[in-house]
Structure formats: C-alpha cells, structure tokens
Amino acid sequence: MDATRFDRTGGPDVLRMEQVAAPDPGPGEVVVEVAAAGVNFIDTYHRSGLYPVDLPSGIGLEGAGTVIAMGDGVETRQVGDRVAWADAMGSYASHVAIRAERTVPVPNAVPLETAAAIMLQGMTAHYLTQSTTSLGEDDTVLVYAAAGGVGRILVQLAKRRGARVLACTSTEAKAEEVRALGADEIVFYRDVDVPSAVREMTDGQGVDVVYDSVGADTFQWSLDSLRPRGLLVMYGNASGPVPPFDLGLLARKGSLYITRPTLFSYTATTDELTWRATALFDLLATGHLQLKVHGTYALSDAARAHEDLESGTTAGKLVLRP
Ligand code: NDP
C-alpha cells in the first residue's frame, strides 16, 4: 500500500511516499480503504516537531473511506461500510487500520471526500461554539483566520446560534468569502489596531468571546479585545505558540477567562464523537453548511499541501487523494 511517512522532523521535504505492507486489523479494529485524507495544521506540527511523535512515523489524522476488513470483536461495523475519522495517525495512506469505535458512519448523502474534509475542522468548530462555551444571541465573538478551514465553519455555526460575528482575515478576496458566510463585520487584522477596531464595533465594550487560532502574533490583541469577564479561546498556533505569560494579566484586564482546548478532549467518548460528526453530516446533507475544498492533491504531493497550508494563503480545506 502507499503511505506518506517521515523519519526526521523538519520542513515539508521530510515527507516521503513509501510502499509498505498493508495493515491487518487487530482486535477491535477495522481496515479502511481510504478515499480521501484531510490535511490539518496539526499534521504540520507533528512533521516539524512542535508536537513530538515517535519516529519513523506515518502522518495525518483524518480521512474517510470504505471498510474492507474487520478484526475480532467488531460488532458495530461491516465490510462495505462508509466511515470517517479524525484521530488515526497515518491517515495519509491508501489503507488505515483504526479502532472501529473511533469511526463514524457516513450517510449516503455525503460524499466521502466531503466527509474527510469536514471531520476534524468541523468537529472543532462544533465544540468551540457549542461546548467550550454555548454561544447564543447575546454574544458577540471575534474569529481569527475566519476564511480558513476551521474559521469558515466556525463563522457559520456561530451565526446559526445567533451570535454576532466579527471576522478577522488578511485579504479582500478572503473577506468577500467570509461575508458571504454571514459574518457581520470584517477586521483586516494585519492592517489595523485590532483592539481599537473591536471597541469601535462594540460601543467600547469589547467582545464576549475571542476564537484565536493564530497564536503568538495575536495573543495580546485577543486579550485587549475582550469585555471584562470575557473568554479567550486560544485554540491554535498558526503563527507559533503563545509564550509563557503572567496570570495576573487576566486580573488586570478584567477577570478574563482563558482556555486552550483540543478536539481530542471534546470527542473522547464514542457518543460525543458520533454526536458532533452526525450533526455536521446533517447540516451538510440539508444544505445548511457550506464547505469549501480549497485544493485536492495526490498523496505523493503531501509536501506541497503542507507548504500551501503553512503559507497562510489557502482559504478552505486541503484534501489528499490516495
Ligand atoms: P487555516 O485554514 O485556518 O489556515 C491558517 C490561517 O491562519 C491562514 O490561512 C491565515 O489566514 C492565518 N495565519 C495567520 N498567521 C499565519 C502564519 N504565520 N502562518 C500561516 N497562517 C497564518 O488552518 P486550519 O483551519 O487547519 O487550522 C487553524 C488553526 O486551528 C491551527 O492553528 C490549528 O492547529 C488549529 N486547530 C486547533 C484545533 C483544536 O482542537 N485546538 C483543531 C483544529 C485546528 P488569514 O489570511 O486570514 O490571516
């Protein structure tokens, strides 16, 4: 089978496509023929060493495909089932072995490539708007990288919950797309003083929640854009991780809350995983959620997909096709 692997950390060029033995399903596992694998920022952190993994390693967490073999004790899946997942290391491959309970069934109305594209970023937007905090009509939120993979789903889910959305992005072309998704205001965060712009848009109050996926570059702006007792959801590091900081800052800026959540704590049980994925599939199937695939790449082109994602110029999901 084909698999993208790496044996040292570094830039995109450490990724190589290799021929390896196809996996046999262990107890409780299924083997899936992968139709599409999703590319996510976390894959670049594994590759670069920001999030350490044992080497040599496969790469990629997300995908969708068809079950072709089952291990002992699997009762909830059958050969031929269409499934998707978001936490199987080594998903940039033609075949993946994965615990059956970490897969979710994909309804026929949702193409497998779409399922692969929605799982990780979609479930992230789902927990951020529904579980990290439960957004409602009284909330005004600031969303960074709003035209990005997570960002554009987050904007749509926040609007569905009735929140007012101030969307940060870097170019007019991206802003146009974000407006079409329902964002109320655009903040060109590379060009303006973000906290001042936010105060102007909120009658001097600041926002209730900031969703910050940019990290090091924007952390201070995010704190300065919140109302007293507001919540900073620091969920990514596209520009690098936030350095250590003095907790007293939160007191001085008005008893702020801060959380650094990860999807894996919000999909830890099969019930929660299935709830979030099913909710997203329903929204897609009924036309209530728009998903944009920015680019589809061959498996052998994974390095180029990483370069593109890290360049900050993409707008939407990147997908690999084995
Ligand atoms: P995006 O599609 O959002 O791409 C990143 C975007 O961030 C860029 O398009 C760019 O948008 C902006 N950006 C700002 N500074 C930089 C920089 N220095 N380098 C690159 N991009 C930059 O990616 P994803 O949706 O895949 O992920 C976004 C973030 O969310 C990542 O940090 C990821 O790790 C995190 N994440 C966290 C999860 C969690 O559970 N905690 C789960 C999933 C993702 P613009 O042009 O608008 O500035």
Side-chain angles (χ1 to χ4, degrees):
M1 65 168 231
D2 297 330
T4 302
R5 300 181 58 80
F6 65 121
D7 53 18
R8 63 190 164 91
T9 55
D13 58 320
V14 302
L15 299 179
R16 308 215 178 289
M17 197 161 85
E18 294 177 9
Q19 293 292 315
V20 297
D24 286 323
E29 288 184 342
V30 293
V31 171
V32 180
E33 185 174 21
V34 179
V39 178
N40 291 287
F41 244 95
I42 193 168
D43 310 338
T44 71
Y45 304 148
H46 289 147
R47 191 211 70 223
S48 71
L50 181 63
Y51 297 173
V53 295
D54 291 337
L55 296 176
S57 176
I59 189 163
L61 295 176
E62 177 185 44
T66 307
V67 175
I68 57 164
M70 302 203 303
D72 289 344
V74 175
E75 287 170 4
T76 53
R77 299 285 174 265
Q78 294 185 339
V79 168
D81 280 358
R82 303 164 80 245
V83 295
W85 60 92
D87 58 2
M89 190 64 164
S91 290
Y92 292 7
S94 58
H95 297 79
V96 172
I98 176 172
R99 291 193 62 74
E101 68 200 22
R102 300 307 296 169
T103 65
V104 291
V106 179
N108 287 334
V110 177
L112 286 175
E113 180 171 319
T114 305
I118 194 75
M119 286 293 287
L120 199 148
Q121 294 173 339
M123 290 196 297
T124 299
H126 187 271
Y127 84 72
L128 290 175
T129 52
Q130 211 147 318
S131 306
T132 300
T133 182
S134 180
L135 290 183
E137 287 174 4
D138 294 336
D139 291 312
T140 298
V141 302
L142 183 69
V143 177
Y144 283 95
V150 177
R152 60 180 50 227
I153 306 172
L154 215 169
V155 168
Q156 294 177 76
L157 296 187
K159 286 309 300 175
R160 281 186 68 76
R161 297 185 69 81
R164 179 170 176 237
V165 175
L166 317 185
C168 291
T169 192
S170 61
T171 67
E172 185 49 54
K174 287 186 175 185
E176 208 43 50
E177 294 189 8
V178 176
R179 276 190 204 102
L181 297 172
D184 297 278
E185 309 275 358
I186 301 293
V187 181
F188 288 103
Y189 71 115
R190 296 285 173 200
D191 306 330
V192 301
D193 178 59
V194 174
S196 307
V198 167
R199 301 267 161 209
E200 237 171 73
M201 292 170 179
T202 56
D203 295 328
Q205 301 298 302
V207 293
D208 301 281
V209 183
V210 174
Y211 292 109
D212 188 339
S213 62
V214 175
D217 284 1
T218 49
F219 176 66
Q220 283 298 331
W221 298 342
S222 295
L223 290 178
D224 290 338
S225 299
L226 284 164
R227 66 159 169 77
R229 292 160 55 181
L231 170 66
L232 171 51
V233 185
M234 203 74 221
Y235 74 95
N237 345 276
S239 68
V242 174
F245 68 98
D246 169 15
L247 265 185
L249 252 186
L250 303 184
R252 292 195 289 280
K253 290 183 184 293
S255 305
L256 302 180
Y257 294 84
I258 188 162
T259 181
R260 176 55 176 93
T262 160
L263 173 65
F264 307 107
S265 334
Y266 285 90
T267 50
T269 65
T270 308
D271 281 353
E272 209 172 7
L273 172 73
T274 309
W275 167 51
R276 297 195 196 285
T278 307
L280 292 160
F281 292 151
D282 284 350
L283 288 173
L284 285 169
T286 53
H288 290 103
L289 183 64
Q290 292 180 41
L291 181 74
K292 181 182 164 204
V293 173
H294 173 91
T296 303
Y297 303 72
L299 196 58
S300 53
D301 247 356
R304 191 164 60 87
H306 277 210
E307 275 165 24
D308 290 351
L309 184 61
E310 289 176 295
S311 74
T313 55
T314 60
K317 184 69 189 181
L318 276 53
V319 170
L320 300 177
R321 271 191 173 274

